Amino acid sequence: MKKAIKGSCTTILVGKKASLDGSTIISRNDDGHEALDPEQFVVINPDDQPRDYTAVISGVNVKLPDNPMRYTSIPNSVLTNGIWPAAGINSANVAMSATETITTNPRVLGIDPYVVGGIGEEDLVTLVLPYIHTAREGVERMGSLLEEFGTYEPNGIGFSDNDEVWWLETIGGHHWAAKRIPDDAYVVAPNRMNIDDFDFNADDTLASADLEDMIANYHLNPDFDRVNLRHIFGSASVKDTVYNNPRAWFGQKYFNPEIDQDPQGQDLPFICHANRKISIEDVKFVLSSHYENTKYDPYGHGSEDDKKLFRPIGINRNHDVHILQIRNDVPQAIAGIHWLAFGANTFNTVVPFYANVDDTPAVYKNATSTFDLNNMYWLSCTTALLGDTDYDLYEDFRNTYELEAMSAYRKIQNDTDAAIVAGKDANLAQANEDLAHEAFTRQTKLLGDMVTFGSEHMKLRYNLND
């Protein structure tokens, strides 16, 4: 088995009654272990889906069914460590995001150790998404694969359809538990075991058949009067207090500013209820955030120690941010929207690509390991790098760009939606091309404006009155 590659992402889940327009939303920053790792946005058609799958990292071989569905995917450009599809929406309008690396403890691994040669993040979207027709089916297929093949790492995985949002967390080598997110709730999940209170007999939970017995037989529950999976199977480490918990705290602070919580607290809740309905722009802001208006902001004015204390959500290791939206107020043909942006999230915008297509725009599809400003991945990374050199100098450029770009994307989307609803011919692939062109043009202009303005403020200058 090759050395496993670990990422460190942040997930946000939103139920249909908690979102602004009645959509279900699952979203995640796909963060890596290094700052740059080019990605592509592609569609996997049934003929391109493998029937005999072999993982690169673990070598596990999985025979796959003969009836895969089409799905969007965000694979690595360089396949040295496998495909790593990250997330997508299939032709049944079911979405999956995999994975959020989570935590565990030695009590669990002493009972059910990881499986060298099992499945992992490299594999999961490929093995599950093309074959599921509901979010619950996704949980059940994922669970059965974990039980059969085992896993070599701990992961959290999101599923959604137009009605339900589910969150599954792996436990040890073969076990798992999942919980349906209430329709009126949201979740912010960092790199820790996130599920807390759990009722094995509830309609909104699923788990390995022997999980409850394992807890009892091995005396794993530290609580007197409840079952809290984070307490039982997760960690409560010092690292959690600076790397994980503050991210949940900031997201919850944004959606519920009226609630006072400790950013380092180990018991920040899993299921939360916002004080308003949540928009796509809200989700993107949190997934781009760096503790704005607090002393912990790396771009802020706190002490150097405070600015370095907590790991931010938006970080140089953001490879992509995806927001998978399944809408309920439009025809099924346009219900799935795969919002996407590449690079560090401080200087990019998510673009609402229609998922019901057979191909994707070249500028989003063709990134390679070679730096190329004609590609959206490298253009986005370059803009974020320049912005990082003087955030205060470039922040207003970013804010204007984001407002104007998102307005333009929504205009294209609204016009396309209206044509479909009216029964007119509307080419979704062309709409995606228009969106990609708009995004690339505006990102290029942002970078150009920053270069032009920033050149006047370089340290390497000397002015005479001439």
Side-chain angles (χ1 to χ4, degrees):
M1 174 175 166
K2 292 183 64 176
K3 182 179 179 181
I5 306 298
K6 295 184 179 181
S8 51
C9 312
T10 308
T11 293
I12 297 178
L13 315 170
V14 184
K16 62 183 180 181
K17 293 182 180 178
S19 69
L20 188 60
D21 64 352
S23 302
T24 59
I25 297 170
I26 63 174
S27 62
R28 182 169 60 92
N29 283 346
D30 184 16
D31 302 344
H33 62 290
E34 67 288 294
L36 295 177
D37 193 357
E39 292 185 345
Q40 303 174 341
F41 177 45
V42 302
V43 172
I44 307 299
N45 289 292
D47 288 346
D48 301 322
Q49 174 70 3
R51 287 2 183 227
D52 187 7
Y53 176 84
T54 300
V56 172
I57 290 177
S58 71
V60 66
N61 180 260
V62 182
K63 305 296 182 182
L64 294 173
D66 287 328
N67 57 340
M69 287 179 280
R70 183 192 67 237
Y71 61 102
T72 57
S73 175
I74 323 169
N76 286 358
S77 298
V78 181
L79 302 181
T80 305
N81 294 302
I83 301 171
W84 292 74
I89 301 174
N90 70 22
S91 56
N93 285 330
V94 178
M96 177 181 181
S97 180
T99 70
E100 184 77 32
T101 304
I102 60 173
T103 55
T104 187
N105 64 58
R107 298 180 297 280
V108 180
L109 295 180
I111 301 164
D112 182 13
Y114 292 141
V115 179
V116 176
I119 58 177
E121 182 172 354
E122 172 202 342
D123 320 303
L124 302 186
V125 171
T126 303
L127 300 183
V128 176
L129 184 58
Y131 311 103
I132 57 177
H133 296 83
T134 67
R136 185 182 287 258
E137 276 188 25
V139 171
E140 292 169 342
R141 176 167 174 80
M142 187 74 262
S144 67
L145 289 168
L146 289 166
E147 292 169 7
E148 180 178 358
F149 295 98
T151 183
Y152 54 81
E153 60 186 3
N155 282 311
I157 302 147
F159 298 94
S160 64
D161 52 39
N162 71 299
D163 189 38
E164 297 186 341
V165 175
W166 282 81
W167 178 250
L168 179 149
E169 293 186 321
T170 67
I171 297 168
H174 299 88
H175 290 81
W176 58 276
K179 190 165 187 173
R180 180 186 172 185
I181 309 309
D183 292 343
D184 62 350
Y186 75 91
V187 165
V188 179
N191 302 117
R192 65 175 186 195
M193 185 85 185
N194 288 283
I195 300 175
D196 47 23
D197 293 331
F198 196 83
D199 181 354
F200 283 95
N201 298 313
D203 293 334
D204 63 351
T205 62
L206 294 167
S208 309
D210 63 338
L211 188 65
E212 188 172 17
D213 288 340
M214 186 175 82
I215 293 171
N217 293 340
Y218 287 92
H219 313 292
L220 297 178
N221 191 354
D223 294 310
F224 294 106
D225 56 358
R226 61 175 176 162
V227 174
N228 181 313
L229 297 190
R230 195 186 308 163
H231 292 172
I232 296 169
F233 297 118
S235 60
S237 66
V238 172
K239 179 179 178 179
D240 286 327
T241 68
V242 295
Y243 196 84
N244 293 319
N245 304 345
R247 283 183 279 157
W249 166 78
F250 188 81
Q252 293 175 15
K253 175 181 173 65
Y254 178 78
F255 292 122
N256 293 100
E258 74 281 4
I259 300 175
D260 185 25
Q261 299 183 121
D262 179 357
Q264 296 186 290
Q266 302 283 20
D267 285 314
L268 295 169
F270 175 60
I271 301 295
C272 301
H273 296 83
N275 69 357
R276 61 192 184 281
K277 293 182 179 180
I278 296 172
S279 69
I280 295 295
E281 286 83 355
D282 287 328
V283 174
K284 172 59 165 66
F285 173 81
V286 175
L287 290 175
S288 305
S289 63
H290 39 87
Y291 306 111
E292 286 91 330
N293 295 324
T294 77
K295 63 183 180 179
Y296 309 114
D297 185 354
Y299 294 135
H301 304 287
S303 70
E304 288 304 308
D305 287 342
D306 284 337
K307 290 194 290 185
K308 295 176 182 178
L309 182 59
F310 296 152
R311 190 270 207 206
I313 295 174
I315 199 170
N316 66 323
R317 294 184 283 109
N318 298 145
H319 293 164
D320 79 69
V321 53
H322 52 264
I323 304 174
L324 309 182
Q325 180 187 26
I326 310 298
R327 302 186 291 173
N328 281 300
D329 61 344
V330 296
Q332 285 295 294
I334 55 173
I337 302 294
H338 189 136
W339 296 80
L340 179 65
F342 291 127
N345 291 333
T346 44
F347 283 84
N348 63 20
T349 55
V350 284
V351 181
F353 292 113
Y354 290 93
N356 185 18
V357 293
D358 295 322
D359 202 358
T360 54
V363 73
Y364 276 80
K365 182 175 65 174
N366 293 335
T368 69
S369 60
T370 301
F371 177 81
D372 181 2
L373 282 179
N374 293 307
N375 179 272
M376 197 64 180
Y377 175 85
W378 288 109
L379 177 62
S380 298
C381 292
T382 303
T383 312
L385 176 62
L386 179 57
D388 183 75
T389 63
D390 194 331
Y391 183 81
D392 289 343
L393 185 67
Y394 297 119
E395 183 181 14
D396 282 345
F397 286 88
R398 189 278 312 275
N399 292 343
T400 300
Y401 149 78
E402 187 169 31
L403 173 63
E404 294 177 349
M406 288 295 289
S407 300
Y409 307 155
R410 285 198 174 275
K411 181 66 166 62
I412 295 171
Q413 184 184 46
N414 288 338
D415 289 347
T416 306
D417 286 355
I420 293 287
V421 170
K424 299 177 182 178
D425 291 335
N427 186 326
L428 298 185
Q430 185 58 53
N432 283 355
E433 290 288 348
D434 294 344
L435 287 160
H437 176 75
E438 191 73 38
F440 186 80
T441 300
R442 290 183 178 276
Q443 187 85 36
T444 301
K445 182 180 184 303
L446 172 63
L447 178 59
D449 290 344
M450 291 167 62
V451 169
T452 301
F453 185 74
S455 296
E456 298 292 336
H457 295 80
M458 290 176 62
K459 293 180 181 179
L460 192 64
R461 66 183 189 274
Y462 190 87
N463 295 326
L464 294 174
N465 294 322
D466 57 358

